[in-house]
Amino acid sequence: MALTLEQPAVENRVLGPAPWAIALLGAAALAASNGIGRFVYTPILPLMHDQVGLAATSGANLATANYVGYLAGALAGSFAPRLVRSRLVMRASMIVMAVSLALMPLTQDVTLWSGLRLIAGFTSALAFVYAVGALLSGLRRSAPHLVGWGFGGIGAGIVFSGLLVLAVREVATWRTAWWVAAVLTLLLTAVSWNLAPPAPPAAGAKVKTRPRTRRWFAALALSYTLEGVGYIIAGTFLVASITQDAPGWVGAGAWVVVGLAAIPGSALWTALARRWSRPTLLASALMLQAAGIALTGLVPGSVGALIAAAAFGGTFVGITSLALALGEHLQVPRAVALLTAGYGIGQIIGPLISRPLLGTGYSAPLLLASTVLASATLAAAVLRIRYPHRVGHMIEPSHLARTSSASRPHTFMLPDLPTPSRTGAAEEKKQLWPQRSCG
């Protein structure tokens, strides 16, 4: 009987993709869709200012168009979940996104640029939700520690885009930068071509958990939406702000630092979640990001810029992974798509509220972003109030009584890992992770 029960697990390990392969393919998809498809605009923006005469307000409008497309893609994934579970849609989205990048140099019409950035935003959102779902569903049981490295693909894409601009600015023009970005996107698309689709949600989870987790999800959604506002102001204007007060290479170099810090950043925050609760870590990451962005606005110069870039890069991908993992844990239907939609709304609001402040430079918008992120920190802190660490696992009260006994006062279920119903102390112990109860 024991052999019969264990046999399916052996077959899954043999026939299914290796965890490291899922992480690699997911990282490539995120590097293409977000690291390059969306964020390459940030280091190219100063080149377009200098070589095309693009005004600061027009640059903000292009950013807004991208974020409107991103929101539309996230909403499409929320209302039509099959879109973000279709490998065909993911592949088509990434190809269309690469084409939109390649078409940018063929015109200097701001309206056409806005349309292309809108398309890039829409397709990047579809690919992003697909890739995140694939990482979370593919690794949560076999290798949850690799989820953070998968999210690090966003940082890798940012590094590629920053190095691209550093190389191009010395030998070519802004047009070449867009074309090279399109080629890199296609190469990363080829790497992620066979990324398995996300698993469908577990039957029954919707009815059982949604009423009990709605208030925590509301606080999480507010915090993550505010993060979208603050982070996108910095993500759009960080390089341009640094370039104002330092040589041009420092701005592109700072963007490389952002990417280098982002690659291990998500994995670091994921590792910390083994010891501290995710609500606490989310609030801490938001506070650190707010401080880093404020430093950029208050302290001009290369040293402050690099420190701020490291703080920004080391937190923004980690915040994304923490927030989406919290949403999955709360088991609200279509949590990833809903949170991504809120994030998209924040990214539309950010450039709009910062545009009136651009007349005096970039310091005022960056300080505004820091203030918004401080508000996001407060919203995340609300999550810590009686946060349901076990509710995502469908644990019965009898299980809770046993796991909270005096013999194990500091033990609770690892968040975000679905636990099948089991009996027996030996089987239950396999699903427990010793932690400090830090709220």
Side-chain angles (χ1 to χ4, degrees), residues 7 55 64 76 110 130 153 182 231-232 247 265 267 276-277 295 304 311 335 344 381 387 409:
Q7 187 62 29
T64 300
V110 175
Y130 178 100
Y231 126 90
I232 205 59
W276 286 281
S277 71
L295 181 65
Y387 179 76

Side-chain angles (χ1 to χ4, degrees), residues 27 80 94 109 122 131 146 155 196 207 244 261 302 375 396 405 427:
M94 296 180 73
D109 186 291
F122 182 84
L146 291 179
V207 174
Q244 275 191 334
S302 302
S375 301
E396 299 298 328
S405 63
E427 289 299 327

Side-chain angles (χ1 to χ4, degrees), residues 68-375:
V68 168
Y70 189 82
L71 173 60
L75 290 175
S78 177
F79 290 109
R82 290 186 179 182
L83 283 177
V84 290
R85 291 200 294 266
S86 167
R87 184 181 285 170
L88 176 61
V89 171
M90 185 273 289
R91 291 171 174 175
S93 296
M94 296 180 73
I95 291 173
V96 171
M97 179 174 54
V99 171
S100 74
L101 300 181
L103 292 177
M104 286 290 288
L106 300 183
T107 181
Q108 293 189 24
D109 186 291
V110 175
T111 302
L112 293 177
W113 277 342
S114 297
L116 291 172
R117 295 309 292 156
L118 182 102
I119 292 171
F122 182 84
T123 52
S124 69
L126 292 178
F128 174 81
V129 177
Y130 178 100
V132 169
L135 284 171
L136 292 176
S137 65
L139 296 176
R140 64 157 59 95
R141 290 185 179 89
S142 58
H145 62 285
L146 291 179
V147 172
W149 291 107
F151 274 94
I154 299 174
I158 290 174
V159 171
F160 292 150
S161 65
L163 292 175
L164 179 160
V165 173
L166 275 174
V168 165
R169 67 179 297 114
E170 302 299 329
V171 297
T173 67
W174 65 277
R175 288 187 171 90
T176 304
W178 282 110
W179 283 325
V180 175
V183 172
L184 283 175
T185 301
L186 287 175
L187 290 175
L188 290 167
T189 297
V191 174
S192 62
W193 196 252
N194 291 320
L195 178 63
K206 181 186 301 185
V207 174
K208 192 165 185 178
T209 64
R210 189 175 187 181
R212 295 191 291 139
T213 61
R214 188 176 296 144
R215 60 174 177 171
W216 290 284
F217 188 80
L220 174 64
L222 175 61
S223 177
Y224 198 51
T225 298
L226 291 172
E227 155 68 5
V229 175
Y231 126 90
I232 205 59
I233 295 174
T236 301
F237 301 121
L238 179 66
V239 173
S241 171
I242 294 171
T243 305
Q244 275 191 334
D245 303 309
W249 65 267
V250 175
W255 192 241
V256 174
V257 172
V258 169
L260 289 174
I263 292 174
S266 180
L268 173 62
W269 290 105
T270 300
L272 291 174
R274 299 179 182 178
R275 186 167 180 82
W276 286 281
S277 71
R278 280 181 169 83
T280 298
L281 292 174
L282 180 61
S284 301
L286 285 164
M287 183 168 58
L288 179 59
Q289 187 179 99
I293 294 174
L295 181 65
T296 308
L298 294 172
V299 184
S302 302
V303 176
L306 294 177
I307 294 174
F312 179 67
T315 54
F316 88 92
V317 179
I319 288 169
T320 294
S321 62
L322 287 169
L324 297 183
L326 283 165
E328 285 276 294
H329 171 72
L330 293 173
Q331 292 191 350
V332 171
R334 302 185 297 278
V336 171
L338 290 173
L339 289 171
T340 302
Y343 201 63
I345 292 172
Q347 290 176 120
I348 294 172
I349 296 172
L352 291 176
I353 63 175
S354 63
R355 186 182 297 128
L357 304 175
L358 290 172
T360 58
Y362 295 104
S363 293
L366 291 173
L367 291 176
L368 173 63
S370 180
T371 303
V372 172
L373 288 169
S375 301

